[in-house]
Amino acid sequence: MQTLQVDVGHSRYPISIGPGLLTNRELLDARIRGRDLLIVTNTTVARLYLAKLTGSLASNSIASNSIASRRVAECILPDGEQHKTLQTAGRVFDALVAKKMNRDATVLALGGGVVGDIAGFAAACYQRGVGYVQIPTTLLAQVDSSVGGKTGVNHSGGKNLIGAFYQPLAVIADTDTLATLPDRELRAGLAEVIKYGCVWDPLLFDWLDNNMAKLLTRDVDALTYAIGRSCEIKATVVAKDEREQNLRAILNFGHTFAHAIEAATAYKTYLHGEAVGLGMLIAANLSHRLGLIDAAIKDRVRDILGKACLPTETPRVGAAKALELMHMDKKVLAGTVRLVLLEKLGRAIVTGDYSQAALDATLAECFA
Ligand code: NAD
Ligand code: GLY
């Protein structure tokens, strides 16, 4: 098992990565200190892993007084991004109230990024904040969403518009859970790993170039390396800028375009990671058009997405529509869409100072 630390000053917590963690009672008892636990999951993940986790948390696991008197309740949400809403978060509040849970309760988020974001948001709000632990079960959640404390839900007007920065008490990433992940979901998670290579670590990018086949066939060592390195990078960035005042925004490379693609296609055509892949392609296109990177880097971004079997054809949603949707992005300041652009492989900038004509030309090429 690999252990990393996230340290944002007011909050410090461990990330544990490895096989067999859902049944590792010693680890769970060390990381999950609360007596009143609410496991939040969804119908799909519940079928696969809920019994395993509740079994490991069972009261007779370890002879400690506090653990022996644990109460474990469940809240099973519907599956899907379309359910990442305030209404669904309300179901978590209802469960916490129904079980008479107090401020010392701990929420356990067992699932992908959707469950993690909803459960974390509910934990941030319930009684003005109870502890929560992320137990991510998708590659995307293990490399990205479970770390760093961004929680929230969607609004009909845009993605993740309602939320809070609220750090978990711990992240427990059991790599065995990836065995049941559909291929398409695995590939969507790889898009976020590619993102770290693009904006931070050119050696990771090279490694991905050389090891993509292993990742696609779920080679355990390759996946473990990709998860560990991604979490290291995310922890480093979040430690410098928890609230996305500046640096953290680079982790949104491709996301402004991705959110527009997701909204324009009613969240039905693309998985989040697939849209992020397309968004990175467009951001690399614009970076090249602005003269920041040469064509070879733009082509490498396209090629690695292709190697990861991610979509590389952008949907023809219309340039004007895409631009309108991009204005809902949380990085918009004083009406200007700030974009994450590449200066070279492994280095990104966040800027509102770019040629509108170049953006228009890129949107026309990609979306018209
Ligand atoms: P998801 O949570 O919808 O999970 C994808 C699918 O896989 C779902 O159907 C889920 O039920 C299923 N699943 C989960 N674990 C499984 C397993 N082990 N085996 C089989 N099936 C499994 O999607 P996701 O890609 O994990 O997360 C996407 C969400 O994460 C988006 O809402 C996005 O906005 C959010 N996100 C948040 C952050 C953050 O920092 N908070 C970062 C990136 C993305
Ligand atoms: N996924 C981007 C971030 O957490 O900041």
Side-chain angles (χ1 to χ4, degrees), residues 42 79 81 84 112-114 117 137-138 145 150 159 177 180:
N42 71 20
D79 187 2
E81 180 77 34
K84 191 176 155 183
V114 170
D117 281 10
T137 62
T138 63
S145 63
K150 276 190 184 175
K159 198 167 155 62
T177 59
T180 53

Side-chain angles (χ1 to χ4, degrees), residues 4 15 17 111-113 136-148 171 173 175 178 181 185-196 204 207-208 215 222-235 238 248 251 272-273:
L4 304 168
I15 306 172
I17 302 162
T137 62
T138 63
L139 182 61
L140 184 139
Q142 295 190 354
V143 300
D144 190 353
S145 63
S146 64
V147 176
V171 178
T175 49
L178 301 180
L181 200 61
E185 297 289 351
L186 184 90
R187 299 193 293 253
L190 289 174
E192 300 283 9
V193 185
I194 292 169
K195 172 189 79 180
Y196 293 116
L204 174 63
W207 181 88
L208 286 166
L215 290 165
L223 279 173
T224 305
Y225 174 75
I227 297 164
R229 184 66 193 128
S230 299
C231 287
E232 267 172 12
I233 295 170
K234 183 140 190 196
V238 169
R248 185 169 179 169
L251 300 182
H272 176 68

Side-chain angles (χ1 to χ4, degrees), residues 133-363:
V133 173
Q134 291 277 15
I135 309 180
T137 62
T138 63
L139 182 61
L140 184 139
Q142 295 190 354
V143 300
D144 190 353
S145 63
S146 64
V147 176
K150 276 190 184 175
T151 73
V153 296
N154 300 330
H155 184 274
S156 57
K159 198 167 155 62
N160 297 332
L161 289 187
I162 302 159
F165 287 101
Y166 193 61
Q167 301 294 335
L169 299 170
V171 178
I172 300 170
D174 185 337
T175 49
D176 285 344
T177 59
L178 301 180
T180 53
L181 200 61
D183 284 339
R184 194 176 163 203
E185 297 289 351
L186 184 90
R187 299 193 293 253
L190 289 174
E192 300 283 9
V193 185
I194 292 169
K195 172 189 79 180
Y196 293 116
C198 289
V199 301
W200 193 264
D201 186 355
L203 294 180
L204 174 63
F205 194 99
D206 289 344
W207 181 88
L208 286 166
D209 234 352
N210 295 325
N211 290 277
M212 196 55 83
K214 283 188 186 168
L215 290 165
L216 289 172
T217 53
R218 300 177 200 229
D219 176 276
V220 173
D221 290 340
L223 279 173
T224 305
Y225 174 75
I227 297 164
R229 184 66 193 128
S230 299
C231 287
E232 267 172 12
I233 295 170
K234 183 140 190 196
T236 304
V237 172
V238 169
K240 290 177 195 285
D241 178 25
E242 181 197 12
R243 299 219 155 209
E244 202 170 298
Q245 300 300 302
N246 41 63
L247 179 69
R248 185 169 179 169
I250 65 169
L251 300 182
N252 288 327
F253 178 54
H255 285 56
T256 306
F257 299 108
H259 290 166
I261 289 171
E262 288 179 279
T265 52
Y267 300 95
K268 287 191 179 126
T269 312
Y270 300 98
L271 299 178
H272 176 68
E274 292 174 335
V276 167
L278 289 171
M280 293 193 289
L281 202 69
I282 300 168
N285 179 317
L286 178 58
S287 304
H288 172 54
R289 200 179 291 272
L290 291 165
L292 295 168
I293 56 170
D294 56 34
I297 295 180
K298 182 184 73 153
D299 292 344
R300 281 195 78 188
V301 174
R302 175 180 289 274
D303 290 349
I304 202 160
L305 293 168
K307 269 192 186 176
C309 302
L310 284 158
T312 51
E313 286 303 318
T314 42
R316 302 285 147 178
V317 299
K321 180 77 186 161
L323 189 61
E324 180 195 324
L325 291 166
M326 285 166 65
H327 274 89
M328 281 310 293
D329 192 83
K330 290 188 288 308
K331 286 185 298 305
V332 170
L333 274 186
T336 301
V337 182
R338 290 184 311 138
L339 292 170
V340 186
L341 299 170
L342 287 187
E343 279 191 328
K344 61 179 191 175
L345 210 49
R347 195 162 76 212
I349 51 164
V350 186
T351 180
D353 186 16
Y354 51 81
S355 142
Q356 182 64 40
L359 175 61
D360 290 343
T362 295
L363 293 180

Side-chain angles (χ1 to χ4, degrees), residues 126-137:
Y126 185 65
Q127 299 201 3
R128 301 201 178 89
V130 297
Y132 77 110
V133 173
Q134 291 277 15
I135 309 180
T137 62

